[in-house]
Amino acid sequence: MPLSGEPLALELVNTTYIDGGRRGHRVDALTTTDQLTAWVAAHANQLSRELPPALAEQACTPRTHEQFLSLREALRSCLQSVTDDSVPSSDSFKAINEFSRYSASRLEISPGNPVVVTRHWEVDDPWLIALGEVASDACSLLMPDRIGSVRACPAPGCILFFVKSHPRREWCSPVCGNRARVARHARTGSRSTRKSGGNA
Ligand SMILES: [Zn+2]
């Protein structure tokens, strides 16, 4: 993956990316249930700590895979609108909210020394819960105090999203920063070449 270390929701959106810049091709890193299983395992530390062992015990189904892809599509559409300063479609809201519901849980205590505290979810399927946690992460990312730092990378040919983690961060990665500088240099270069050609 060209970028990592972003909040869970952005990590999911960033599983489609362009390989090779402006003339590159679009890559989808989640085309199979195995790829999704590996992605979830790689993000275990961003999920509730009870989930990874349960996820390891149960196979990801094609249905779950489809739901993750629907969520990813809704997130991309919603984030694209938000970072463009336009209003996201109601379909994207609907999908995100529908999946976010699966993250609902409550804590319960039972006797012990110390007392045992257990988290219970409203659904049993750990894959649905994980899906819910990604959707819920997106909702918290869209809250007023955080949304201002979510960025669509402005480098040519890049479709990744990131959180502006420090004031000078303009690109998703140094690779994109270099690519943007090269493109700018080429534009200025071709303008001056055209100008000098015209004068000759
Ligand atoms: Zn980028």
Side-chain angles (χ1 to χ4, degrees):
M1 224 60 78
L3 181 62
S4 63
E6 298 300 325
L8 198 49
L10 299 189
E11 290 280 304
L12 179 66
V13 176
N14 289 345
T15 54
T16 48
Y17 56 91
I18 305 289
D19 186 21
R22 201 163 30 184
R23 288 188 196 84
H25 64 284
R26 198 178 175 114
V27 177
D28 183 347
L30 291 187
T31 53
T32 63
T33 51
D34 282 351
Q35 286 176 326
L36 176 60
T37 304
W39 182 84
V40 168
H43 293 83
N45 62 348
Q46 290 175 273
L47 297 167
S48 290
R49 65 182 167 77
E50 296 90 340
L51 282 183
L55 289 164
E57 272 176 25
Q58 191 175 317
C60 167
T61 64
R63 170 82 184 126
T64 309
H65 181 230
E66 222 170 80
Q67 287 171 309
F68 266 88
L69 298 188
S70 305
L71 175 61
R72 183 178 67 177
E73 198 184 314
L75 289 177
R76 173 167 290 284
S77 151
C78 180
L79 289 167
Q80 196 69 64
S81 303
V82 167
T83 51
D84 280 354
D85 246 349
S86 59
V87 180
S89 73
S90 57
D91 283 353
S92 67
F93 280 139
K94 222 168 98 186
I96 294 166
N97 289 340
E98 191 185 314
F99 294 129
S100 182
R101 253 182 249 148
Y102 296 132
S103 68
S105 70
R106 66 186 187 281
L107 290 174
E108 281 182 8
I109 48 169
S110 47
N113 188 15
V115 164
V116 180
V117 182
T118 324
R119 182 176 295 278
H120 294 275
W121 278 270
E122 284 174 22
V123 290
D124 290 329
D125 183 347
W127 285 93
L128 277 187
I129 301 169
L131 178 75
E133 294 200 348
V134 179
S136 169
D137 182 64
C139 297
S140 65
L141 203 56
L142 295 170
M143 287 165 93
D145 58 330
R146 296 183 72 198
I147 188 59
S149 55
V150 177
R151 295 280 191 281
C153 181
C158 186
I159 56 167
L160 299 181
F161 289 89
F162 64 96
V163 167
K164 193 172 165 73
S165 47
H166 58 87
R168 296 187 57 195
R169 184 175 180 188
E170 296 297 337
W171 320 98
C172 71
S173 65
V175 175
C176 271
N178 283 336
R179 191 173 284 140
R181 270 187 289 277
V182 169
R184 197 162 49 219
H185 188 74
R187 274 199 309 275
T188 5
S190 68
R191 261 205 304 277
S192 49
T193 314
R194 271 203 304 277
K195 210 185 278 169
S196 58
N199 290 341

